[in-house]
Amino acid sequence: MEYYQIEGGVPLQGEYRVKGAKNAALPILAATICKGGVHEIYDCPRIGDALILTRILEQLGAGVSWEKDCLIIDSRSLTGNAVPKELMEKLRSSVFLLGSLLARTGEATVYRPGGCKIGKRPIDIHINGLRELGFEILEDEEKVTCRGKCRGGRFHLSYPSVGATENLMMAALSGESQTILENCATEPEIIDLQGFLRSCGFGVYGAGTSRIFIEGSRGKNDSMYFIMEDRIEAATYLMAIAGTGGEGILTNIRPELLEEVLTVLVRMGVPLRKYGDRIWVKKPDDGLGRTALKSPGILMTAPYPGFPTDCQPQLLTLATKAKGLTTIREEIFDSRFTHKKDLMKMGANIEICGKNAIIKGTDVLYGRSVSARDLRGGAALVLAGLMAEGITRVEDIYHIERGYEDFPQGISQLGGLIETKNERETKEKSESIGEIAGIDFTDGSHICRAVPSCI
Ligand code: EPZ
């Protein structure tokens, strides 16, 4: 079992180029089968979820190959329209194949999607929309089968769901009709999906607003597309630099994509400068050279352009060392404080009351052995390890690697001390040191050098 070993207390310094957006890449990968063609996709992040999605595309008969930084998907000949259960359950974005398979073949069978365990995450808005647009729906406990053509017309989403908006955009490409989706999510990644669909010759308009207009399926075949930058990855690195008292520049990131995050960081006393597609960030200083984060007060997550729920766990970590009392209200998902226990183990002071996390800033976090439970909660524990004194071990890192490409490499590039270790190697090394020293280290106590009682 692999884990990250982090030596905290090192200020991150330097420059980091933000990678392609996970939440733009996933719907776009699904969309490559809306029409048969050869699609060249640049800046697709090499993350767990994207690799699983390409395996699903291969199972459906598409050709997948990486040529340097270009991912080529050849979807000219599909051999099926049922998504394998064991792959479906690994990620949430497999649900997008409902829409793209309906656009291409008029039939799709998908199992209930998996993904981060951050709440119930039903797909009722997806299903209601497909039914309203004229598709026949057969569903049972474990899977959903849809068939037919989009008859067009209007559908009002009961909630601006990101995934449902994207799924229905793709399903509406089937048939010759014209469809208007209302009360859509307005996240930037939806504009990126529209951009990709247009590069395939489809008529899609209005993404980024609450009303999206989709014309029936037409369009040329091949396409070339560059995926937008990952605003959530950018926010994660900004908080890591500020939280460790460093200084750095992020490139390949338009500041307007994460305005609300930047506003909150400024409220916390973090000096920031925006230049074109770069953001400069520095440690908040108390005038005596010490890092002095201030509480941002009360903060609520909200659909774009509100504070993104995908940055809430990372901000919660930052708030554990911010002077004063911070209240974070999670309005999007019903259990997204999964890393609270581990942060408390590290010395944080957090109370959960319903949808609210109330955090009293503390001066020090201590390195501990912790476990990731989902993607952003895991990333938030890495931030905590970087901000803590001593050694932190983060286990179950597969959650983090689903959504961050080469996270340890990016942190190391900024001077952070983080290594991916393997339990077996560590154990063998401990045993050999133990044999020499005549001490049994295999209980893991050797990991934390700074505070022996930390494990
Ligand atoms: C997308 O998930 C993102 N994932 C999530 O990012 C992100 O947190 C979320 O949007 C909100 O911004 C991808 O884009 C792959 P939703 P999605 O549908 O589409 C409820 C990350 O860390 N809902 O907007 O699943 C749902 O339960 C991930 O990168 C229904 O009730 O989010 C939730 O409470 C995590 N019925 C709320 O809406 C439905 O049919 C928002 O969900 C659909 C959603």
Short mmCIF file of all heavy atoms in Angstrom, two decimals, residues 4 54 85 100 106 127 174 188 193 200 210 244 257 265 269 287 300 308 325 360 378 414 418:
data_model
loop_
_atom_site.label_atom_id
_atom_site.label_comp_id
_atom_site.label_asym_id
_atom_site.label_seq_id
_atom_site.Cartn_x
_atom_site.Cartn_y
_atom_site.Cartn_z
N TYR A 4 1.82 8.86 1.26
CA TYR A 4 2.71 10.02 1.16
C TYR A 4 3.36 10.22 2.53
O TYR A 4 2.69 10.16 3.55
CB TYR A 4 1.93 11.30 0.83
CG TYR A 4 1.33 11.36 -0.55
CD1 TYR A 4 0.18 12.12 -0.78
CD2 TYR A 4 1.88 10.70 -1.64
CE1 TYR A 4 -0.39 12.20 -2.05
CE2 TYR A 4 1.31 10.77 -2.90
CZ TYR A 4 0.18 11.52 -3.10
OH TYR A 4 -0.39 11.59 -4.34
N THR A 54 -11.00 6.42 -19.98
CA THR A 54 -10.49 5.97 -21.29
C THR A 54 -10.61 4.45 -21.40
O THR A 54 -10.87 3.92 -22.47
CB THR A 54 -9.01 6.39 -21.50
OG1 THR A 54 -8.22 5.94 -20.39
CG2 THR A 54 -8.88 7.90 -21.66
N LYS A 85 -19.90 -2.71 -15.37
CA LYS A 85 -20.24 -2.36 -13.98
C LYS A 85 -19.01 -2.05 -13.15
O LYS A 85 -18.95 -1.04 -12.45
CB LYS A 85 -21.03 -3.53 -13.37
CG LYS A 85 -21.57 -3.30 -11.97
CD LYS A 85 -22.53 -4.42 -11.60
CE LYS A 85 -23.28 -4.17 -10.30
NZ LYS A 85 -22.46 -4.31 -9.08
N SER A 100 -23.79 10.69 -23.81
CA SER A 100 -23.02 10.59 -25.07
C SER A 100 -23.41 9.36 -25.87
O SER A 100 -23.46 9.39 -27.10
CB SER A 100 -21.52 10.60 -24.76
OG SER A 100 -21.18 9.56 -23.87
N GLY A 106 -28.49 6.09 -29.55
CA GLY A 106 -29.91 6.05 -29.20
C GLY A 106 -30.23 5.05 -28.12
O GLY A 106 -31.40 4.80 -27.80
N ILE A 127 -32.11 11.68 -14.84
CA ILE A 127 -33.16 10.78 -15.33
C ILE A 127 -34.44 11.57 -15.69
O ILE A 127 -35.01 11.39 -16.77
CB ILE A 127 -33.49 9.70 -14.26
CG1 ILE A 127 -32.26 8.86 -13.91
CG2 ILE A 127 -34.66 8.82 -14.72
CD1 ILE A 127 -31.67 8.08 -15.03
N SER A 174 -28.97 14.13 -29.78
CA SER A 174 -29.56 13.05 -30.60
C SER A 174 -30.82 13.59 -31.27
O SER A 174 -31.41 14.56 -30.80
CB SER A 174 -29.94 11.87 -29.70
OG SER A 174 -31.10 12.21 -28.97
N PRO A 188 -17.39 26.96 -15.27
CA PRO A 188 -16.55 27.14 -16.47
C PRO A 188 -16.31 25.84 -17.24
O PRO A 188 -16.16 25.85 -18.46
CB PRO A 188 -15.24 27.68 -15.90
CG PRO A 188 -15.57 28.24 -14.56
CD PRO A 188 -16.73 27.45 -14.05
N LEU A 193 -16.97 22.11 -22.16
CA LEU A 193 -17.66 21.02 -22.86
C LEU A 193 -18.35 21.57 -24.11
O LEU A 193 -18.26 20.98 -25.20
CB LEU A 193 -18.70 20.36 -21.94
CG LEU A 193 -19.61 19.31 -22.60
CD1 LEU A 193 -18.79 18.14 -23.16
CD2 LEU A 193 -20.66 18.79 -21.61
N CYS A 200 -16.59 19.76 -32.62
CA CYS A 200 -17.05 18.57 -33.38
C CYS A 200 -18.15 18.96 -34.36
O CYS A 200 -18.75 18.09 -35.02
CB CYS A 200 -17.62 17.52 -32.43
SG CYS A 200 -16.48 16.90 -31.22
N SER A 210 -27.54 30.28 -17.33
CA SER A 210 -28.47 29.26 -16.81
C SER A 210 -29.34 28.68 -17.93
O SER A 210 -30.16 27.80 -17.68
CB SER A 210 -29.36 29.90 -15.74
OG SER A 210 -30.11 30.93 -16.34
N THR A 244 1.90 27.49 4.07
CA THR A 244 3.25 27.12 4.56
C THR A 244 4.14 28.37 4.71
O THR A 244 5.32 28.25 5.00
CB THR A 244 3.94 26.14 3.57
OG1 THR A 244 3.96 26.77 2.26
CG2 THR A 244 3.20 24.81 3.51
N LEU A 257 -11.40 32.75 -13.00
CA LEU A 257 -12.05 31.44 -12.80
C LEU A 257 -12.20 31.10 -11.32
O LEU A 257 -12.91 30.16 -10.97
CB LEU A 257 -11.22 30.34 -13.48
CG LEU A 257 -11.13 30.40 -15.00
CD1 LEU A 257 -10.21 29.30 -15.52
CD2 LEU A 257 -12.51 30.27 -15.64
N LEU A 265 -9.17 34.39 0.29
CA LEU A 265 -7.76 34.39 0.71
C LEU A 265 -7.31 35.80 1.09
O LEU A 265 -6.58 35.98 2.08
CB LEU A 265 -6.87 33.82 -0.42
CG LEU A 265 -7.02 32.31 -0.67
CD1 LEU A 265 -6.16 31.87 -1.86
CD2 LEU A 265 -6.64 31.50 0.58
N GLY A 269 -5.90 37.66 4.79
CA GLY A 269 -4.64 38.40 4.92
C GLY A 269 -3.56 37.93 3.96
O GLY A 269 -2.39 38.29 4.10
N GLY A 287 4.15 41.09 10.35
CA GLY A 287 5.05 42.23 10.61
C GLY A 287 6.28 41.79 11.38
O GLY A 287 7.30 42.45 11.42
N MET A 300 -19.76 30.26 2.86
CA MET A 300 -20.70 29.23 2.41
C MET A 300 -20.28 28.74 1.03
O MET A 300 -19.90 29.56 0.17
CB MET A 300 -22.10 29.84 2.27
CG MET A 300 -22.87 29.92 3.54
SD MET A 300 -24.38 30.88 3.29
CE MET A 300 -25.19 29.90 2.05
N PRO A 308 -16.39 27.51 -4.42
CA PRO A 308 -16.57 26.14 -4.91
C PRO A 308 -16.48 25.10 -3.80
O PRO A 308 -15.54 25.13 -2.99
CB PRO A 308 -15.43 25.94 -5.91
CG PRO A 308 -14.50 27.08 -5.74
CD PRO A 308 -15.15 28.13 -4.93
N LEU A 325 -12.14 32.74 14.82
CA LEU A 325 -13.14 31.68 14.62
C LEU A 325 -13.66 31.74 13.18
O LEU A 325 -14.04 32.81 12.70
CB LEU A 325 -14.32 31.93 15.57
CG LEU A 325 -15.04 30.73 16.16
CD1 LEU A 325 -14.06 29.78 16.83
CD2 LEU A 325 -16.10 31.18 17.17
N LYS A 360 -11.63 26.88 15.31
CA LYS A 360 -10.91 27.87 16.12
C LYS A 360 -9.44 27.76 15.77
O LYS A 360 -8.84 26.69 15.92
CB LYS A 360 -11.14 27.61 17.62
CG LYS A 360 -10.58 28.69 18.54
CD LYS A 360 -10.97 28.43 20.00
CE LYS A 360 -10.45 29.51 20.95
NZ LYS A 360 -9.00 29.84 20.75
N GLY A 378 -8.56 14.40 0.94
CA GLY A 378 -7.19 13.87 0.93
C GLY A 378 -6.17 14.95 0.63
O GLY A 378 -5.13 15.08 1.29
N LEU A 414 8.11 22.92 -5.66
CA LEU A 414 8.05 24.17 -4.89
C LEU A 414 8.83 24.05 -3.58
O LEU A 414 8.71 24.89 -2.69
CB LEU A 414 6.58 24.54 -4.60
CG LEU A 414 5.74 24.86 -5.84
CD1 LEU A 414 4.27 24.99 -5.46
CD2 LEU A 414 6.22 26.13 -6.54
N ILE A 418 7.99 15.91 0.31
CA ILE A 418 6.93 14.90 0.23
C ILE A 418 7.41 13.76 -0.65
O ILE A 418 8.04 13.98 -1.68
CB ILE A 418 5.61 15.50 -0.34
CG1 ILE A 418 4.52 14.43 -0.48
CG2 ILE A 418 5.86 16.23 -1.63
CD1 ILE A 418 3.15 14.98 -0.84
#
